[in-house]
């Protein structure tokens, strides 16, 4: 039986590369066959898992330059039933795709807003006069390239290969250490791993209200590797806090710290424990690392 | 002499409404004349102040639904010289603008991604089949409306009035308590007010590393009204923390707490102390509150 994997499409996005990398790892280590299914937004990807249209999904969580992917965090809190099974971190190398014979001909550049931001200095240096147009994914605009040589797009060299499009420059990201962390999510409970992700709201907004739950982690010597605030959408100044800790839910020590946290939060949601996919090893086994 | 104010244009954006509201307040309370200057991106607005092209700017910082405006935070850290003079909070009421005689005719909707997200449920209910196209501001797409009755845009009723465009529905935001906080920034030092904003990076990533600076605030009984993390852009998992506290820099008590914080942070940057503009009073004095 095939395991179905939802991702943010269309074909050729970094999300699809992450999903296909995970699929290959599943095949190699668990002899599991998979089938990928593209959705037009991250919200629809996550709803597809929640509504059991697919088995699992691979979604971006944070980028080292752009920061947290807020839709993923907001939907995870709202759906309240998805659990993280794995995390994987992918190096991001943007490429400039166009049918133009040289950069100077290009007058319009399409890409996802995050990719445009991550190549801002390159664009200012090489294409200072172009019009930038935001798309829903890095590959959505590629269909326009065939018809018009004055149009360019920022995507991956992998997408260029899939769509048979010329790469005029690569890599073009301003920061070489650009990577995105993805989560593999499903409806199955996930209790063991090196990392646990959770989120909570606070009962009050007093001095030190956020400090109280965090102190229980520090007292238990549990490292918090990330904290991100998001609005509760109730009123301005009222927040949810998304936290990653370096500890697994199967440890009584972690459970005790989280129980104590529960006593000083309003709502505390656990999104599961998980390990990181060893990406260097996985990518070394593939034949296409250069297309990242 | 005119005080020049930069804002995210073009004319009719919520940023311009915030800038014009602040300009009116300056005129009424300080008899200061102002001239507004539109820029095509928030980054360019902030650089215009840093490079002394203009005197001050008004930029969005956070929305009660969408969360923090990451460009504003990232640029503030990078430019390292702008100071917050005021904060103002504006209620946001989105309107649906189109030359169509009824909603059913519309097949494409343009707006800023945040506005599209904030009206997602309304769009799913009333226009489930339309193509959504992201623009750089809520008013950028309005010029397309004249030519094509199948095109709609999400903007404010204020922008509809400025551009002489019909409003088909208003308000259409999914959450009625939708508001955006703006900051007024300049190059002048700002030391007094009820609120102070700051940001810091951490020297290590140990268990409790973030807790140490926050504990100095809690010990001093200073309330932290907001914390937001942003990537340092050095590597994934390395963050800056942007914090708002309910205390002014002119108090020795606050200074002592911040000095202690400085001892357990890597870099600590102060963005100034400020008060909130009394918006209810300001809006009550204007003739156009209904156009928000």
């Amino acid at each position: 039986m095939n395991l179905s994997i939802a991702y943010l499409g269309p074909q050729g996005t970094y999300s699809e590369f992450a999903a296909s990398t995970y699929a290959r790892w599943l095949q190699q280590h668990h002899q599991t066959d998979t089938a990928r299914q593209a959705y037009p937004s991250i919200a629809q990807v996550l709803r597809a898992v929640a509504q059991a249209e697919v088995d699992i999904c691979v979604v971006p969580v944070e980028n080292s330059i752009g920061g947290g992917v807020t839709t993923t965090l907001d939907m995870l809190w709202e759906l309240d039933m998805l659990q993280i099974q794995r995390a994987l971190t992918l190096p991001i190398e943007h490429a400039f795709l166009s049918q133009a014979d040289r950069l100077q001909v290009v007058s319009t550049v399409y890409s996802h807003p995050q990719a445009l931001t991550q190549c801002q200095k390159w664009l200012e240096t090489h294409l200072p006069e172009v019009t930038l147009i935001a798309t829903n994914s890095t590959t959505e605009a590629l269909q326009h390239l065939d018809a018009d040589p004055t149009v360019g797009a920022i995507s991956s060299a992998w997408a260029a290969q899939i769509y048979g499009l010329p790469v005029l420059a690569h890599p073009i990201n301003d920061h070489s250490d650009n990577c995105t962390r993805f989560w593999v999510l499903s409806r199955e409970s996930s209790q063991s791993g090196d990392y646990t992700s959770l989120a909570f709201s606070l009962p009050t907004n007093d001095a030190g209200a956020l400090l109280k739950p965090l102190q229980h982690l520090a007292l238990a010597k549990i490292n918090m590797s990330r904290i991100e605030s998001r609005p509760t959408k109730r009123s301005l100044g009222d927040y949810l806090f998304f936290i990653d800790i370096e500890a697994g839910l199967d440890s009584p020590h972690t459970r005790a710290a989280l129980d104590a946290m529960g006593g000083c939060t309003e709502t505390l949601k656990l999104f599961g424990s998980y390990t990181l996919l060893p990406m260097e090893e996985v990518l070394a086994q593939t034949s296409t690392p250069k297309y990242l």
Side-chain angles (χ1 to χ4, degrees), chain A:
Chain A
M1 200 191 80
N2 271 359
L3 189 81
S4 50
I5 308 181
Y7 69 93
L8 172 67
Q11 222 196 343
T13 57
Y14 291 101
S15 287
E16 200 206 6
F17 191 88
S20 75
T21 302
Y22 183 64
R24 206 160 44 232
W25 181 86
L26 277 177
Q27 174 56 246
Q28 284 172 352
H29 291 78
H30 297 277
Q31 289 74 51
T32 305
D33 290 329
T34 54
R36 292 199 294 279
Q37 172 88 38
Y39 286 83
S41 71
I42 291 174
Q44 282 162 280
V45 168
L46 292 164
R47 271 200 211 104
V49 185
Q51 294 164 358
E53 277 175 38
V54 293
D55 299 310
I56 66 170
C57 70
V58 178
V59 288
V61 188
E62 65 167 334
N63 173 269
S64 57
I65 312 300
V69 180
T70 55
T71 312
T72 300
L73 301 179
D74 290 357
M75 287 296 296
L76 210 59
W77 178 270
E78 188 186 317
L79 293 171
D80 199 13
M81 59 168 304
L82 298 182
Q83 294 272 296
I84 306 161
Q85 308 298 328
R86 281 273 175 186
L88 57 153
T89 300
L90 216 64
I92 301 290
E93 284 192 0
H94 295 303
F96 190 80
L97 281 56
S98 176
Q99 297 282 7
D101 56 356
R102 60 192 196 284
L103 281 178
Q104 290 73 20
V105 181
V106 176
S107 59
T108 309
V109 176
Y110 290 86
S111 198
H112 190 274
Q114 282 251 4
L116 293 173
T117 305
Q118 291 165 24
C119 301
Q120 194 183 324
K121 291 195 175 80
W122 185 88
L123 288 166
E124 281 174 14
T125 308
H126 296 90
L127 295 164
E129 304 292 328
V130 295
T131 304
L132 303 177
I133 299 183
T135 55
N136 288 317
S137 73
T138 47
T139 49
E140 196 188 78
L142 298 184
Q143 68 223 44
H144 301 296
L145 295 194
D146 258 347
D148 188 348
T150 70
V151 170
I154 294 174
S155 190
S156 64
W158 186 64
Q161 196 197 34
I162 290 174
Y163 288 94
L165 291 164
V167 172
L168 259 63
H170 170 255
I172 63 165
N173 22 293
D174 299 333
H175 297 261
S176 59
D177 194 4
N178 186 341
C179 45
T180 298
R181 192 196 321 272
F182 292 83
W183 278 340
V184 178
L185 295 150
S186 80
R187 297 177 302 280
E188 274 176 37
S189 167
S190 108
Q191 301 292 314
S192 69
D194 308 326
Y195 292 88
T196 300
S197 293
L198 51 125
F200 57 84
S201 58
L202 293 171
T204 61
N205 196 16
D206 301 339
L210 169 62
L211 219 60
K212 283 177 202 157
L214 302 188
Q215 265 163 342
H216 290 293
L217 295 176
L219 281 171
K221 305 269 184 224
I222 294 173
N223 191 29
M224 178 174 71
S225 52
R226 176 166 161 250
I227 180 168
E228 181 145 356
S229 61
R230 291 291 303 149
T232 59
K233 304 184 183 181
R234 294 187 294 216
S235 68
L236 193 67
D238 198 13
Y239 303 100
L240 304 174
F241 298 94
F242 288 79
I243 280 177
D244 293 351
I245 58 172
E246 295 178 2
L249 283 170
D250 50 3
S251 138
H253 179 74
T254 311
R255 282 280 175 192
L258 294 178
D259 283 349
M261 278 182 88
C264 49
T265 55
E266 185 193 40
T267 304
L268 175 72
K269 297 187 183 186
L270 300 178
F271 302 127
S273 293
Y274 51 93
T275 53
L276 304 179
L277 205 70
M279 284 304 285
E280 284 186 19
E281 180 197 314
V282 174
L283 290 176
Q285 287 167 358
T286 73
S287 57
T288 54
K290 66 180 183 297
Y291 290 117
L292 261 177

